[in-house]
Amino acid sequence: MNQNPRFDLSFMLRHVPDFGPAILTALEVFIAALAIALVVGVVLALARVTRTQLAWLAAAYVEIFRNTPLLMQLYFIFFGLPIAGVMISPFVSGSAAIGLQHGAFFAEILRGGIAAVRRDQREGGLALGMLPSQVMRQIVLPQALRNSLPAAGNQLVLLLQDTSFVSTIGIFEITLRGQTIAERSAASFEMFVVVGAIYLLLSAILSLAARGLEFAAAYAR
Amino acid sequence: MISVSGLHKSYGGTSVLQGVDLAVGRGETVVIIGPSGSGKTTLLRCLNFLVEYDSGQIHVDGKLMWFKDAACSARRPIREIAADRAEIGMVFQSFNLFPHRTVLDNITMAPLTVRRGSLARPEAEREARRLLERVGLGDKASAHPATLSGGQQQRVAIARALAMNPKVMLFDEVTSALDPELVDEVLSVIRQLAEDGMTMVVVTHEIPFALDVADRVIFMDQGAVVEEGPPERVLLHPETPRLKAFLRRFIEMNRIARRMTVEIGAP
């Protein structure tokens, strides 16, 4: 047990490699949750711009999922579904909870992106004899997705950081790994510096990738 | 080719079209003039279902165009409306090119989408390049719209509308958003279309163009047709006070033009 009140750099560095598998686990949760969030986001955004009953359902979804804490949603799924007889793994519960909430956020981002496409773009397509669905797919959505990229990049970073919530249901990702090492060693502060640094690094890479995507998707203006 | 009768449209309590009648023969170029708010644009947009009119009838090529049955208020399937729109080309004041696609893609998108199955891409692209040549932009196929001047963008928009091989072309103030020196290149494309026998309805503020190209001129004011007839008759010998008042502005411009000719020299 480390009794030294000083900042123990060597202890900190010695434990960095222990985080390897935890980082991989976090990335798995991130990718699974992102996939869910993107699908949910696109479906909800499209539902919201139709003028049907679906728009109300989608709006209700968005309001419920973005107005309740992620931790509560996670517990709802992880502890609630088994009561209803549905047994799912911590990984699936965690990814689903994060994906379902971030889906609501992505939906709002994309809805804004769609609203920012000028109305006369739609009319241009309709006047050529294209169906509204074809206009949406070929004219409005490609532009809306580009419009959404800056805000979506931001959301991507938030999603990555929210993977730390699955530590509460026993998934050994970065945060829980840091906690266990800290508890074993009593060098809590050092371990959370490492945890913070890992999130910072991953988020920075992600931000950079998002910027790159924005740049690649930009068309001549 | 087009016949409109008793067309009414109001937004909220404001009546924009108050019983418009209009007939356009095959191959005829009809120019509609009138002050802003006179209903010219709304009339064009009704022809293309971009505006749902309240009452009246529109026939294009003998076929009744409708979107809602007045008797049982059943709505017409969107597929049928789209099919009718495909036969009516429309060019807008603000070009409405698709900024995320190249000029060539802008032109081939609708034909490849609407005639999917019967039209192959190489064929669509060949036709698109032919149309680009026709509007004088044969070298701009792979350019993005935003890299073109307004006049060039509008000519691409004309080519895009022509790619659907429409029976009728509608032009909605297509030079109003252009810098003055770019107006002529667009008007000359429209003039060429008129000579080729395209049936056209042109809403414009370009009075000299109307005089030159129109087979018939229609003056609209406050949602109704006030005067119509051959361009010389309507534009040079207006009968109603309203048309006289409308044209006076151009007389004023002409007085300035005459002075400029004296000072600067004829073009």
Side-chain angles (χ1 to χ4, degrees), chain A residues 75-111:
Chain A
Y75 287 171
F76 210 83
I77 292 173
F78 186 67
F79 297 117
L81 286 187
I83 295 174
V86 183
M87 305 306 277
I88 52 174
S89 70
F91 179 82
V92 174
S93 312
S95 307
I98 298 170
L100 292 176
Q101 185 180 58
H102 281 263
F105 290 124
F106 275 119
E108 284 301 280
I109 291 171
L110 186 55
R111 189 170 69 90

mmCIF file of all heavy atoms in Angstrom, chain A residues 75-111:
data_model
loop_
_atom_site.group_PDB
_atom_site.id
_atom_site.type_symbol
_atom_site.label_atom_id
_atom_site.label_comp_id
_atom_site.label_asym_id
_atom_site.label_seq_id
_atom_site.Cartn_x
_atom_site.Cartn_y
_atom_site.Cartn_z
ATOM 1 N N TYR A 75 -30.017 2.441 -15.433
ATOM 2 C CA TYR A 75 -30.535 1.565 -14.387
ATOM 3 C C TYR A 75 -31.900 1.007 -14.779
ATOM 4 O O TYR A 75 -32.233 -0.135 -14.485
ATOM 5 C CB TYR A 75 -30.649 2.321 -13.058
ATOM 6 C CG TYR A 75 -29.307 2.589 -12.396
ATOM 7 C CD1 TYR A 75 -29.200 3.424 -11.286
ATOM 8 C CD2 TYR A 75 -28.150 1.988 -12.886
ATOM 9 C CE1 TYR A 75 -27.968 3.663 -10.675
ATOM 10 C CE2 TYR A 75 -26.924 2.224 -12.292
ATOM 11 C CZ TYR A 75 -26.828 3.063 -11.199
ATOM 12 O OH TYR A 75 -25.630 3.297 -10.604
ATOM 13 N N PHE A 76 -32.671 1.842 -15.426
ATOM 14 C CA PHE A 76 -34.000 1.430 -15.879
ATOM 15 C C PHE A 76 -33.885 0.197 -16.770
ATOM 16 O O PHE A 76 -34.649 -0.760 -16.633
ATOM 17 C CB PHE A 76 -34.624 2.585 -16.660
ATOM 18 C CG PHE A 76 -36.115 2.627 -16.558
ATOM 19 C CD1 PHE A 76 -36.731 3.221 -15.461
ATOM 20 C CD2 PHE A 76 -36.912 2.073 -17.553
ATOM 21 C CE1 PHE A 76 -38.103 3.269 -15.358
ATOM 22 C CE2 PHE A 76 -38.282 2.109 -17.452
ATOM 23 C CZ PHE A 76 -38.882 2.712 -16.362
ATOM 24 N N ILE A 77 -32.916 0.255 -17.700
ATOM 25 C CA ILE A 77 -32.740 -0.867 -18.623
ATOM 26 C C ILE A 77 -32.095 -2.055 -17.915
ATOM 27 O O ILE A 77 -32.564 -3.189 -18.011
ATOM 28 C CB ILE A 77 -31.889 -0.434 -19.835
ATOM 29 C CG1 ILE A 77 -32.676 0.557 -20.687
ATOM 30 C CG2 ILE A 77 -31.450 -1.630 -20.665
ATOM 31 C CD1 ILE A 77 -31.885 1.167 -21.813
ATOM 32 N N PHE A 78 -31.028 -1.766 -17.176
ATOM 33 C CA PHE A 78 -30.225 -2.852 -16.598
ATOM 34 C C PHE A 78 -30.966 -3.582 -15.493
ATOM 35 O O PHE A 78 -30.909 -4.804 -15.388
ATOM 36 C CB PHE A 78 -28.899 -2.296 -16.079
ATOM 37 C CG PHE A 78 -27.960 -3.356 -15.589
ATOM 38 C CD1 PHE A 78 -27.390 -4.280 -16.469
ATOM 39 C CD2 PHE A 78 -27.631 -3.437 -14.239
ATOM 40 C CE1 PHE A 78 -26.516 -5.253 -16.021
ATOM 41 C CE2 PHE A 78 -26.755 -4.415 -13.777
ATOM 42 C CZ PHE A 78 -26.199 -5.329 -14.672
ATOM 43 N N PHE A 79 -31.669 -2.818 -14.642
ATOM 44 C CA PHE A 79 -32.394 -3.468 -13.536
ATOM 45 C C PHE A 79 -33.859 -3.703 -13.858
ATOM 46 O O PHE A 79 -34.472 -4.602 -13.309
ATOM 47 C CB PHE A 79 -32.286 -2.613 -12.268
ATOM 48 C CG PHE A 79 -30.876 -2.465 -11.776
ATOM 49 C CD1 PHE A 79 -30.267 -1.219 -11.735
ATOM 50 C CD2 PHE A 79 -30.149 -3.573 -11.363
ATOM 51 C CE1 PHE A 79 -28.953 -1.087 -11.279
ATOM 52 C CE2 PHE A 79 -28.835 -3.434 -10.915
ATOM 53 C CZ PHE A 79 -28.241 -2.192 -10.869
ATOM 54 N N GLY A 80 -34.390 -2.877 -14.770
ATOM 55 C CA GLY A 80 -35.823 -2.944 -15.058
ATOM 56 C C GLY A 80 -36.188 -4.079 -16.005
ATOM 57 O O GLY A 80 -37.150 -4.807 -15.768
ATOM 58 N N LEU A 81 -35.415 -4.240 -17.083
ATOM 59 C CA LEU A 81 -35.774 -5.255 -18.078
ATOM 60 C C LEU A 81 -35.786 -6.672 -17.506
ATOM 61 O O LEU A 81 -36.686 -7.450 -17.835
ATOM 62 C CB LEU A 81 -34.859 -5.156 -19.301
ATOM 63 C CG LEU A 81 -35.129 -3.975 -20.232
ATOM 64 C CD1 LEU A 81 -34.273 -4.074 -21.493
ATOM 65 C CD2 LEU A 81 -36.607 -3.877 -20.603
ATOM 66 N N PRO A 82 -34.812 -7.036 -16.646
ATOM 67 C CA PRO A 82 -34.876 -8.387 -16.073
ATOM 68 C C PRO A 82 -36.173 -8.630 -15.301
ATOM 69 O O PRO A 82 -36.702 -9.741 -15.312
ATOM 70 C CB PRO A 82 -33.665 -8.434 -15.130
ATOM 71 C CG PRO A 82 -32.713 -7.458 -15.728
ATOM 72 C CD PRO A 82 -33.558 -6.348 -16.275
ATOM 73 N N ILE A 83 -36.696 -7.585 -14.641
ATOM 74 C CA ILE A 83 -37.975 -7.739 -13.938
ATOM 75 C C ILE A 83 -39.070 -8.088 -14.927
ATOM 76 O O ILE A 83 -39.964 -8.884 -14.653
ATOM 77 C CB ILE A 83 -38.320 -6.437 -13.167
ATOM 78 C CG1 ILE A 83 -37.283 -6.223 -12.064
ATOM 79 C CG2 ILE A 83 -39.739 -6.491 -12.595
ATOM 80 C CD1 ILE A 83 -37.416 -4.912 -11.337
ATOM 81 N N ALA A 84 -38.973 -7.484 -16.123
ATOM 82 C CA ALA A 84 -39.954 -7.781 -17.172
ATOM 83 C C ALA A 84 -39.631 -9.088 -17.888
ATOM 84 O O ALA A 84 -40.274 -9.443 -18.862
ATOM 85 C CB ALA A 84 -39.990 -6.622 -18.180
ATOM 86 N N GLY A 85 -38.615 -9.768 -17.411
ATOM 87 C CA GLY A 85 -38.298 -11.071 -17.975
ATOM 88 C C GLY A 85 -37.313 -11.025 -19.136
ATOM 89 O O GLY A 85 -37.052 -12.031 -19.776
ATOM 90 N N VAL A 86 -36.771 -9.838 -19.427
ATOM 91 C CA VAL A 86 -35.809 -9.731 -20.529
ATOM 92 C C VAL A 86 -34.407 -9.696 -19.936
ATOM 93 O O VAL A 86 -34.043 -8.773 -19.209
ATOM 94 C CB VAL A 86 -36.046 -8.442 -21.351
ATOM 95 C CG1 VAL A 86 -35.096 -8.378 -22.533
ATOM 96 C CG2 VAL A 86 -37.485 -8.381 -21.815
ATOM 97 N N MET A 87 -33.622 -10.729 -20.197
ATOM 98 C CA MET A 87 -32.272 -10.775 -19.662
ATOM 99 C C MET A 87 -31.283 -10.271 -20.717
ATOM 100 O O MET A 87 -31.172 -10.848 -21.792
ATOM 101 C CB MET A 87 -31.904 -12.212 -19.265
ATOM 102 C CG MET A 87 -32.893 -12.858 -18.295
ATOM 103 S SD MET A 87 -33.165 -11.850 -16.812
ATOM 104 C CE MET A 87 -31.751 -12.370 -15.835
ATOM 105 N N ILE A 88 -30.598 -9.196 -20.426
ATOM 106 C CA ILE A 88 -29.570 -8.746 -21.368
ATOM 107 C C ILE A 88 -28.282 -8.463 -20.618
ATOM 108 O O ILE A 88 -28.280 -8.179 -19.425
ATOM 109 C CB ILE A 88 -30.013 -7.501 -22.168
ATOM 110 C CG1 ILE A 88 -30.502 -6.400 -21.243
ATOM 111 C CG2 ILE A 88 -31.060 -7.855 -23.207
ATOM 112 C CD1 ILE A 88 -30.808 -5.121 -21.971
ATOM 113 N N SER A 89 -27.178 -8.569 -21.321
ATOM 114 C CA SER A 89 -25.867 -8.422 -20.696
ATOM 115 C C SER A 89 -25.610 -6.964 -20.323
ATOM 116 O O SER A 89 -26.246 -6.060 -20.866
ATOM 117 C CB SER A 89 -24.786 -8.883 -21.678
ATOM 118 O OG SER A 89 -24.700 -7.967 -22.737
ATOM 119 N N PRO A 90 -24.667 -6.726 -19.412
ATOM 120 C CA PRO A 90 -24.300 -5.346 -19.085
ATOM 121 C C PRO A 90 -23.863 -4.578 -20.333
ATOM 122 O O PRO A 90 -24.212 -3.405 -20.501
ATOM 123 C CB PRO A 90 -23.127 -5.517 -18.119
ATOM 124 C CG PRO A 90 -23.323 -6.857 -17.504
ATOM 125 C CD PRO A 90 -23.965 -7.702 -18.566
ATOM 126 N N PHE A 91 -23.112 -5.251 -21.215
ATOM 127 C CA PHE A 91 -22.624 -4.562 -22.414
ATOM 128 C C PHE A 91 -23.793 -4.059 -23.263
ATOM 129 O O PHE A 91 -23.823 -2.901 -23.675
ATOM 130 C CB PHE A 91 -21.747 -5.509 -23.237
ATOM 131 C CG PHE A 91 -21.219 -4.869 -24.501
ATOM 132 C CD1 PHE A 91 -20.093 -4.065 -24.462
ATOM 133 C CD2 PHE A 91 -21.864 -5.072 -25.716
ATOM 134 C CE1 PHE A 91 -19.607 -3.461 -25.621
ATOM 135 C CE2 PHE A 91 -21.393 -4.469 -26.871
ATOM 136 C CZ PHE A 91 -20.258 -3.662 -26.829
ATOM 137 N N VAL A 92 -24.768 -4.938 -23.484
ATOM 138 C CA VAL A 92 -25.914 -4.542 -24.304
ATOM 139 C C VAL A 92 -26.725 -3.449 -23.596
ATOM 140 O O VAL A 92 -27.116 -2.456 -24.208
ATOM 141 C CB VAL A 92 -26.806 -5.765 -24.626
ATOM 142 C CG1 VAL A 92 -28.075 -5.325 -25.350
ATOM 143 C CG2 VAL A 92 -26.033 -6.759 -25.481
ATOM 144 N N SER A 93 -26.952 -3.631 -22.271
ATOM 145 C CA SER A 93 -27.707 -2.612 -21.522
ATOM 146 C C SER A 93 -27.024 -1.260 -21.629
ATOM 147 O O SER A 93 -27.663 -0.239 -21.897
ATOM 148 C CB SER A 93 -27.784 -2.959 -20.043
ATOM 149 O OG SER A 93 -28.166 -4.269 -19.862
ATOM 150 N N GLY A 94 -25.705 -1.275 -21.393
ATOM 151 C CA GLY A 94 -24.958 -0.019 -21.376
ATOM 152 C C GLY A 94 -24.969 0.657 -22.732
ATOM 153 O O GLY A 94 -25.264 1.856 -22.853
ATOM 154 N N SER A 95 -24.672 -0.126 -23.780
ATOM 155 C CA SER A 95 -24.634 0.448 -25.124
ATOM 156 C C SER A 95 -26.010 0.972 -25.519
ATOM 157 O O SER A 95 -26.139 2.051 -26.116
ATOM 158 C CB SER A 95 -24.191 -0.608 -26.141
ATOM 159 O OG SER A 95 -22.991 -1.197 -25.727
ATOM 160 N N ALA A 96 -27.048 0.189 -25.167
ATOM 161 C CA ALA A 96 -28.406 0.596 -25.533
ATOM 162 C C ALA A 96 -28.793 1.887 -24.825
ATOM 163 O O ALA A 96 -29.318 2.815 -25.447
ATOM 164 C CB ALA A 96 -29.393 -0.520 -25.197
ATOM 165 N N ALA A 97 -28.499 1.966 -23.523
ATOM 166 C CA ALA A 97 -28.882 3.164 -22.777
ATOM 167 C C ALA A 97 -28.220 4.411 -23.369
ATOM 168 O O ALA A 97 -28.882 5.425 -23.618
ATOM 169 C CB ALA A 97 -28.499 3.006 -21.307
ATOM 170 N N ILE A 98 -26.918 4.308 -23.596
ATOM 171 C CA ILE A 98 -26.207 5.468 -24.157
ATOM 172 C C ILE A 98 -26.718 5.771 -25.564
ATOM 173 O O ILE A 98 -26.996 6.916 -25.922
ATOM 174 C CB ILE A 98 -24.685 5.210 -24.194
ATOM 175 C CG1 ILE A 98 -24.166 4.997 -22.773
ATOM 176 C CG2 ILE A 98 -23.961 6.370 -24.852
ATOM 177 C CD1 ILE A 98 -22.730 4.503 -22.730
ATOM 178 N N GLY A 99 -26.876 4.703 -26.367
ATOM 179 C CA GLY A 99 -27.324 4.892 -27.746
ATOM 180 C C GLY A 99 -28.712 5.500 -27.828
ATOM 181 O O GLY A 99 -28.967 6.373 -28.659
ATOM 182 N N LEU A 100 -29.604 5.049 -26.942
ATOM 183 C CA LEU A 100 -30.983 5.548 -27.005
ATOM 184 C C LEU A 100 -31.043 7.027 -26.610
ATOM 185 O O LEU A 100 -31.776 7.807 -27.218
ATOM 186 C CB LEU A 100 -31.894 4.706 -26.094
ATOM 187 C CG LEU A 100 -32.117 3.265 -26.564
ATOM 188 C CD1 LEU A 100 -32.956 2.485 -25.561
ATOM 189 C CD2 LEU A 100 -32.775 3.231 -27.949
ATOM 190 N N GLN A 101 -30.265 7.422 -25.591
ATOM 191 C CA GLN A 101 -30.306 8.838 -25.231
ATOM 192 C C GLN A 101 -29.620 9.705 -26.289
ATOM 193 O O GLN A 101 -30.150 10.727 -26.713
ATOM 194 C CB GLN A 101 -29.657 9.115 -23.871
ATOM 195 C CG GLN A 101 -29.842 10.587 -23.521
ATOM 196 C CD GLN A 101 -29.231 10.983 -22.192
ATOM 197 O OE1 GLN A 101 -28.045 10.829 -21.974
ATOM 198 N NE2 GLN A 101 -30.073 11.498 -21.312
ATOM 199 N N HIS A 102 -28.449 9.274 -26.730
ATOM 200 C CA HIS A 102 -27.751 10.093 -27.720
ATOM 201 C C HIS A 102 -28.490 10.108 -29.056
ATOM 202 O O HIS A 102 -28.348 11.053 -29.826
ATOM 203 C CB HIS A 102 -26.303 9.631 -27.863
ATOM 204 C CG HIS A 102 -25.432 10.129 -26.745
ATOM 205 N ND1 HIS A 102 -24.660 11.260 -26.865
ATOM 206 C CD2 HIS A 102 -25.274 9.690 -25.474
ATOM 207 C CE1 HIS A 102 -24.043 11.476 -25.712
ATOM 208 N NE2 HIS A 102 -24.389 10.541 -24.852
ATOM 209 N N GLY A 103 -29.278 9.060 -29.308
ATOM 210 C CA GLY A 103 -30.130 9.073 -30.494
ATOM 211 C C GLY A 103 -31.059 10.278 -30.481
ATOM 212 O O GLY A 103 -31.274 10.928 -31.502
ATOM 213 N N ALA A 104 -31.593 10.587 -29.293
ATOM 214 C CA ALA A 104 -32.476 11.749 -29.168
ATOM 215 C C ALA A 104 -31.714 13.042 -29.489
ATOM 216 O O ALA A 104 -32.223 13.927 -30.174
ATOM 217 C CB ALA A 104 -33.065 11.815 -27.761
ATOM 218 N N PHE A 105 -30.465 13.109 -29.010
ATOM 219 C CA PHE A 105 -29.669 14.311 -29.290
ATOM 220 C C PHE A 105 -29.326 14.410 -30.774
ATOM 221 O O PHE A 105 -29.424 15.473 -31.389
ATOM 222 C CB PHE A 105 -28.378 14.307 -28.460
ATOM 223 C CG PHE A 105 -28.617 14.531 -26.990
ATOM 224 C CD1 PHE A 105 -28.153 13.619 -26.056
ATOM 225 C CD2 PHE A 105 -29.312 15.643 -26.540
ATOM 226 C CE1 PHE A 105 -28.365 13.808 -24.690
ATOM 227 C CE2 PHE A 105 -29.536 15.851 -25.191
ATOM 228 C CZ PHE A 105 -29.061 14.931 -24.262
ATOM 229 N N PHE A 106 -28.918 13.267 -31.357
ATOM 230 C CA PHE A 106 -28.589 13.281 -32.784
ATOM 231 C C PHE A 106 -29.817 13.666 -33.617
ATOM 232 O O PHE A 106 -29.702 14.349 -34.626
ATOM 233 C CB PHE A 106 -28.052 11.917 -33.236
ATOM 234 C CG PHE A 106 -26.578 11.742 -32.992
ATOM 235 C CD1 PHE A 106 -26.102 10.737 -32.165
ATOM 236 C CD2 PHE A 106 -25.655 12.602 -33.589
ATOM 237 C CE1 PHE A 106 -24.745 10.587 -31.923
ATOM 238 C CE2 PHE A 106 -24.294 12.450 -33.357
ATOM 239 C CZ PHE A 106 -23.838 11.443 -32.521
ATOM 240 N N ALA A 107 -30.991 13.194 -33.182
ATOM 241 C CA ALA A 107 -32.219 13.522 -33.913
ATOM 242 C C ALA A 107 -32.424 15.033 -33.957
ATOM 243 O O ALA A 107 -32.771 15.598 -34.992
ATOM 244 C CB ALA A 107 -33.419 12.844 -33.256
ATOM 245 N N GLU A 108 -32.194 15.688 -32.817
ATOM 246 C CA GLU A 108 -32.375 17.139 -32.771
ATOM 247 C C GLU A 108 -31.350 17.852 -33.634
ATOM 248 O O GLU A 108 -31.650 18.845 -34.293
ATOM 249 C CB GLU A 108 -32.285 17.627 -31.315
ATOM 250 C CG GLU A 108 -33.521 17.318 -30.512
ATOM 251 C CD GLU A 108 -34.770 17.947 -31.107
ATOM 252 O OE1 GLU A 108 -35.006 19.152 -30.889
ATOM 253 O OE2 GLU A 108 -35.504 17.235 -31.809
ATOM 254 N N ILE A 109 -30.125 17.338 -33.633
ATOM 255 C CA ILE A 109 -29.077 17.941 -34.463
ATOM 256 C C ILE A 109 -29.453 17.834 -35.938
ATOM 257 O O ILE A 109 -29.379 18.800 -36.694
ATOM 258 C CB ILE A 109 -27.717 17.250 -34.192
ATOM 259 C CG1 ILE A 109 -27.227 17.606 -32.793
ATOM 260 C CG2 ILE A 109 -26.697 17.632 -35.256
ATOM 261 C CD1 ILE A 109 -26.017 16.802 -32.342
ATOM 262 N N LEU A 110 -29.896 16.627 -36.325
ATOM 263 C CA LEU A 110 -30.230 16.412 -37.731
ATOM 264 C C LEU A 110 -31.488 17.183 -38.135
ATOM 265 O O LEU A 110 -31.590 17.698 -39.252
ATOM 266 C CB LEU A 110 -30.417 14.909 -38.000
ATOM 267 C CG LEU A 110 -30.631 14.506 -39.453
ATOM 268 C CD1 LEU A 110 -29.501 15.027 -40.341
ATOM 269 C CD2 LEU A 110 -30.723 12.997 -39.591
ATOM 270 N N ARG A 111 -32.422 17.302 -37.201
ATOM 271 C CA ARG A 111 -33.637 18.077 -37.489
ATOM 272 C C ARG A 111 -33.260 19.534 -37.788
ATOM 273 O O ARG A 111 -33.790 20.147 -38.708
ATOM 274 C CB ARG A 111 -34.596 18.010 -36.302
ATOM 275 C CG ARG A 111 -35.956 18.604 -36.578
ATOM 276 C CD ARG A 111 -36.906 18.290 -35.449
ATOM 277 N NE ARG A 111 -36.570 18.997 -34.212
ATOM 278 C CZ ARG A 111 -37.056 20.197 -33.895
ATOM 279 N NH1 ARG A 111 -37.890 20.799 -34.701
ATOM 280 N NH2 ARG A 111 -36.708 20.780 -32.773
#
